[in-house]
Each structure stands twice: as C-alpha cells, then as structure tokens.
Amino acid sequence: PQAITLRHKEFGSEHTFHAASNTAGLVSSVSNINELIANGTDVSGEINGEQASGRGQILTGDPGADTVEGIKIRYTGETAPAGGNAGTVTFSQNSLTFQIGAEANQFSEYSLGSIKTNDLGRGEENSSNFDSLAQIKVLNSEQAQDAIRVIDKAIQEVNGSRGEMGAFQKNNLESNLNYLRIAHENSVSSESVIRDADMAEEMATFTRNQIMMEASTSMLAQANQNSMTVLKLIG
C-alpha cells in the first residue's frame, strides 16, 4: 500500500492547514470536504534548569530568569524525539581567560560546565521520572535500576569535563608554556653573548698591550742610556 504524507513547512502549534480529496477516505473522510489537520507541537524544556517557553522549534529563556533570560535554542529535528526528550545543551558563560603569550590579545579561554547534582544526569530516560542526579531515590528495585542509569550518565558527564580540561591544559597551556620557556632560554643566551666578555680575545689583547708597553719602556731606557754615554764622552 502507498501512503500520502502532508507536512506543513512551518513548525509549532500556531500553524495548521486544511486538506481534502475527491475520494472519501483518501485524505479527508468525506469527499470534497476540507478537514482541519491537527496543529503542530511547540518545543518545550528548560535552559540551565530555568524556565523557558517554546514557540515552534525555538526555546527561549523566560523573562526574569537568573542567567538565561532571552537566550534562544533552536531544535532542528522535524519530528518529536523518542520519549519526548531530545537531549541537553550546555552554555558556556563567565569563561576563564589565560594569557598565553607576550603580546596583547594572545590569550585563551575555557569554560567549565556545571557539575552540580541538579545539572548532572539530566535527560536520561527512566520510568521513575528522575530528572537529574539530585532526584534519585532507591526505595525499590525499579528506582534502583533507574538510579544506576542516571548515575552512569552523571559519571560520563564528569569524565567528559575532566577530559576537556586535560585537553585544554595539554594543548593550550603546556604547549605555550614550553614555547615561552624556550623563548626565555634563547633570550637569556642572547643576552649572555652580548654582555659576557670573550676571555680568550681579552687575554690576547691584554698580552699584546703588555708586550707593547714593555717594549716601549725598554726602548726609552736604551735611549736614555745612549744620552748618558754621549755626555760622558763630551765631559
């Protein structure tokens, strides 16, 4: 059997359309009579654990929210995800800034994701309706199994954050530290060449000057001796 799929080009509860066919039961239950197609569904959810309102595919932080007011997230899926949960989004704010070079604007930024229990393990589908690690309870076997799932996801999220921090430290901080250390050593070596005397050259110059001074003294002494000899002969 073949199926006909009609889809509106827009998303959300504000958009709808009518459809009819000249054959009863094909598109409309009665031939040539328009039927209203059910409205779409607006995306719903929270941003950073704070209330947000959905309109079509856009989720917007509600007015008065502490940190997410006005922030918009767009869900790009064309159908509702299985279980009604599409996942989580992490926003990076108030990032840490590290100066990694000697010049202006040579810096790198890193943002730490929240590891609060209210923010860990979110979005894990479970029959006990645990929304996060902070809500887990172990009062029966079903809750115990669901708690394990939420805890496992929280561990994965923490490990992911640790991996990101390690990669940032190795690829950004340590690599630049090694570069700066080598640059410093080269600068110190260059300064040493400029400031320090070449001892061999200086000793050669000193010896030459000393020989010339002694030769001059000897020649002067001989000249004085010759003058005294002439005076004795005259006398």
Side-chain angles (χ1 to χ4, degrees):
Q2 296 182 345
I4 298 177
T5 301
L6 301 177
R7 179 181 298 172
H8 201 288
K9 66 178 181 179
E10 301 293 343
F11 297 88
S13 60
E14 297 180 356
H15 304 285
T16 186
F17 61 92
H18 294 78
S21 64
N22 56 9
T23 301
L26 182 60
V27 174
S28 56
S29 57
V30 180
S31 61
N32 298 320
I33 300 297
N34 290 334
E35 287 192 2
L36 177 66
I37 305 301
N39 290 23
T41 302
D42 294 320
V43 65
S44 62
E46 297 177 339
I47 302 178
N48 197 34
E50 299 179 26
Q51 191 64 36
S53 300
R55 183 178 181 182
Q57 292 179 299
I58 306 299
L59 187 66
T60 306
D62 284 351
D66 291 336
T67 59
V68 300
E69 180 178 356
I71 292 179
K72 296 180 182 292
I73 298 176
R74 181 173 182 266
Y75 172 63
T76 58
E78 295 185 354
T79 59
N85 194 316
T88 60
V89 176
T90 300
F91 280 88
S92 298
Q93 296 180 345
N94 299 324
S95 57
L96 301 175
T97 302
F98 299 86
Q99 183 70 27
I100 58 175
E103 305 296 334
N105 297 324
Q106 289 185 341
F107 61 87
S108 183
E109 295 181 336
Y110 180 74
S111 298
L112 297 172
S114 174
I115 54 173
K116 296 179 180 179
T117 54
N118 287 327
D119 298 321
L120 292 175
R122 299 182 67 88
E124 181 65 24
E125 186 176 353
N126 61 88
S127 57
S128 300
N129 296 322
F130 296 148
D131 292 332
S132 67
L133 184 62
Q135 296 185 3
I136 62 172
K137 298 177 182 179
V138 187
L139 301 179
N140 52 55
S141 60
E142 183 179 12
Q143 288 186 346
Q145 294 299 315
D146 291 336
I148 291 174
R149 295 188 183 94
V150 175
I151 292 172
D152 286 343
K153 183 172 183 181
I155 292 174
Q156 292 176 1
E157 292 170 346
V158 172
N159 288 338
S161 296
R162 293 178 61 189
E164 291 175 359
M165 285 189 288
F168 178 80
Q169 177 182 347
K170 181 176 180 61
N171 298 330
N172 292 68
L173 300 184
E174 291 184 359
S175 61
N176 282 281
L177 178 61
N178 293 333
Y179 168 78
L180 293 175
R181 184 181 292 114
I182 294 173
H184 177 262
E185 292 176 355
N186 292 338
S187 298
V188 172
S189 177
S190 299
E191 181 185 17
S192 177
V193 171
I194 294 172
R195 289 180 177 272
D196 295 348
D198 188 330
M199 296 305 298
E201 181 180 358
E202 292 297 324
M203 287 300 298
T205 302
F206 173 76
T207 303
R208 184 189 63 183
N209 293 336
Q210 188 175 28
I211 292 173
M212 292 180 65
M213 184 177 65
E214 291 178 355
S216 299
T217 303
S218 177
M219 292 176 63
L220 181 61
Q222 291 180 5
N224 291 335
Q225 185 67 31
N226 292 335
S227 299
M228 293 297 296
T229 302
V230 171
L231 289 175
K232 287 182 179 180
L233 291 174
I234 294 175

